[in-house]
Amino acid sequence: MSSSLKLTKSVEDYLEVMYNLHKENGVIKVKDIAFRLDVKPPSVVEAVKKLSEIGLVSYEKYGDIRLKEDGLKIAENITHKHDILKNFLNILGVDMETANEDACAMEHILDSATIAKLKKFAEFTEIYPPAQEFLKSFVYYEENGKLPDRYVKK
């Protein structure tokens, strides 16, 4: 596979779903991909054929699908981005379902450097003691539209 290959959001979604199915079930089947992505099985077959042509998966008609080495690396990278973004959104107080959906959209458009910064920020909030107070103040501000009284200069 060419390192300059630009993958579409759709292709990345297929790879991510395949990766998750493999982790969860040990096998990847067309019907399971179709269910997860809410598409028809013939659409999955077409996508899998294209992924096979570019060397990301192996697939035989009516058989299981396997991620090849390059496909696995890409899928792991997408999943890693997704997890970082979901964690960051959770830190901001976004509920899990919304954070998952938003991370799914964001993982395809944000630059890797941006995602790395968000990861570092999330790590920082876990290890820097005043960060928890900062996050509590943010939640207060979000709910009340003002800083907690202890931070307002009189």
Side-chain angles (χ1 to χ4, degrees):
M1 182 190 86
S2 167
S3 61
S4 64
L5 181 65
K6 179 69 176 144
L7 300 177
T8 65
K9 176 190 179 308
S10 175
V11 166
E12 288 183 351
D13 284 343
Y14 273 95
L15 290 171
E16 185 178 17
V17 165
M18 289 179 201
Y19 178 76
N20 289 329
L21 285 169
H22 177 73
K23 276 187 4 186
E24 293 164 17
N25 305 331
V27 295
I28 306 167
K29 297 191 176 293
V30 168
K31 66 180 175 95
D32 296 329
I33 297 169
F35 178 77
R36 291 273 177 101
L37 292 175
D38 195 26
V39 297
K40 302 279 187 221
S43 298
V44 174
V45 171
E46 284 304 309
V48 169
K49 284 180 185 176
K50 289 176 185 172
L51 290 170
S52 180
E53 288 169 8
I54 59 175
L56 299 178
V57 302
S58 61
Y59 168 71
E60 291 183 28
K61 195 171 185 176
Y62 305 113
D64 292 343
I65 301 159
R66 287 184 177 69
L67 288 167
K68 289 187 169 182
E69 186 176 344
D70 285 341
L72 181 62
K73 285 179 186 174
I74 293 167
E76 286 173 336
N77 184 43
I78 296 163
T79 301
H80 183 67
K81 286 179 179 182
H82 182 98
D83 292 343
I84 291 167
L85 292 165
K86 185 170 64 173
N87 183 41
F88 179 77
L89 294 170
N90 285 146
I91 289 169
L92 294 179
V94 177
D95 69 85
M96 278 297 244
E97 185 177 342
T98 303
N100 193 48
E101 291 170 6
D102 288 351
C104 204
M106 295 166 66
E107 69 198 18
H108 305 290
I109 57 172
L110 291 180
D111 186 81
S112 293
T114 302
I115 292 174
K117 293 277 188 187
L118 295 175
K119 180 182 180 189
K120 284 294 182 190
F121 181 82
E123 290 170 354
F124 178 77
T125 64
E126 292 176 12
I127 63 170
Y128 185 62
Q132 291 308 310
E133 185 61 32
F134 168 80
L135 293 172
K136 287 178 187 172
S137 295
F138 174 73
V139 169
Y140 182 89
Y141 178 79
E142 180 186 29
E143 292 172 352
N144 299 286
K146 64 179 187 166
L147 288 174
D149 290 340
R150 65 184 170 275
Y151 295 114
V152 178
K153 294 186 181 197
K154 298 184 185 208

